[in-house]
Structure formats: C-alpha cells, structure tokens
Amino acid sequence: MRILVTNDDGIYAPGLWDLVKALMEVGEVVVVAPDREQSAVGTSVTLHQPLRARKIKPLIRGVESYCVEGTPADSVILALGSLIQGKVELLFSGINEGANLGDDVLISGTVGGALQGYLNGIPSIALSVGALEDVHFEAATRLAVTIARMMRNHALPREMLLNINLPNLPLDKIKGVEVTHLGRRSYSDVIKEGHDGKREYYWIVRGKQEWDPVEGTDIWAVLNDKISITPLHGDLTNTSRLDSLRGLSQVIFQELTSP
Ligand code: MN
C-alpha cells in the first residue's frame, strides 16, 4: 500500500517524520510537503505563479521525499499529478502541532491538504494534536498505524475524509475515541496596527480560543481527554436554510428585474 504524507507545518516538522516512521510498518511512504510552514492557508491552490518542487534528502533513509514551494493543497496536486509514480491508496496530513477543531477546519492547511486527496478519490486523514509546545505525537502515530491497517484490510470505507484531533496526552492518559461533529468557536482575533517606516500595516493576531464545548462535538471530545474523529465532506450546503431561501427566490428575481 502506497501512503502519501503531507502537512502544513513544513517538510522538516517533527510531527511529519514521526508519522512517516510509524506508517512505514504498514506500507510504502512517500512525502510531498510544503518547504516551509503554511499553517492557516486552508484549501488555497497556487494558480498565478509557477511552482517548484525538489527532491530532498529525507530525514529517514529510503523515503522518497519532495518539498514544494507552495501550499499543502499544491503539494498534494503535484504529488498525485506528477511527482509520484503509481497509485496512492491513502493520504495523511500532519501530524499538526495545534488542534484543528470546529470552524477552524475552514482555514486549516492540514485539512486543506487532506481535502485535496479526498477530492482525488483517496481516503484522506487530517491528524492534529492539541498543543503547540511539548507535543505528544505517540498516540497520534499509533492511531495512524491503526487506521492504515484497517484501511489495508478493507475494514474502513474508502470514500472518506477524516478530521482527527487528539488531546496532548500520553496514550495511557487518553480516555477514549469519540466520533463527533464539528463544534463552534467564537473568534477573538486582534488586529495589531503598525507602521514599517513607509506604510501602515495590519497584523491579524489570533486571540484566546473561545470554544463552545457542546456535547458530541470535536471540541467537547478533546476537552474531555478523548480522541475526536469527525467525518467531513466537501458539501458545505446548509440544508436547513434551503426551504426558507427557496421561498425568497421569486422575490429576489422580481427585485432584480423590476424597473
Ligand atoms: Mn500547522
């Protein structure tokens, strides 16, 4: 089984190589990842400039590895369309340092990389640990191996995009696995204004995380020391609004076309 590994923390991030090392037990691992940190670039794809990719000396001997001067989504598109020969059967994006929970999946580069695999028909998993310092990768690597084995044994559906988050704990402190839906977080981003000597600039600074820990959500699971697995798909349609908006479609058209 050939497994593609990407991330958004950059190709030399420790979480990526811990994951690669673990997945080598299950299959042939190929790494294609951004050459530098690309956190919070979401699903961004580079269309207005050329992309360079370069084969690098891997941190683990024998692992075919490329870095891309682009986003996680760029890396996956290049990997599948050009760099990797033969079929990719599974994709992991991570292990990210920092949680990707709730509304944040919409800006997550980790999820953006996995989404691109999913759109290309490959079962894809975004894997994150909820800490930025002293990150415990062990439980996440073991979980990745478990999932890869289940996929190899056809114990999981192939059409799958999973967003997995782990609390930053050693394996023996983790209390379980919850299959969840996305929670909500309220943003308290701060805009710092400054002047670079020539022009004004603005810097978006992430404020304190304000989670809404509703039972059954990914946020709730991780706050309760459990692993959260959320199945995602690409359809962002808000089905609960379809009927009320349909009732307005005639009005909108009339307003548009009235003199
Ligand atoms: Mn990241």
Side-chain angles (χ1 to χ4, degrees), residues 7-10 37-40 95-98 100 108-110:
N7 75 351
D8 79 354
D9 289 339
E37 184 173 346
Q38 292 281 335
S39 294
I95 302 166
N96 190 61
E97 296 187 24
N100 281 300
S108 163
T110 308

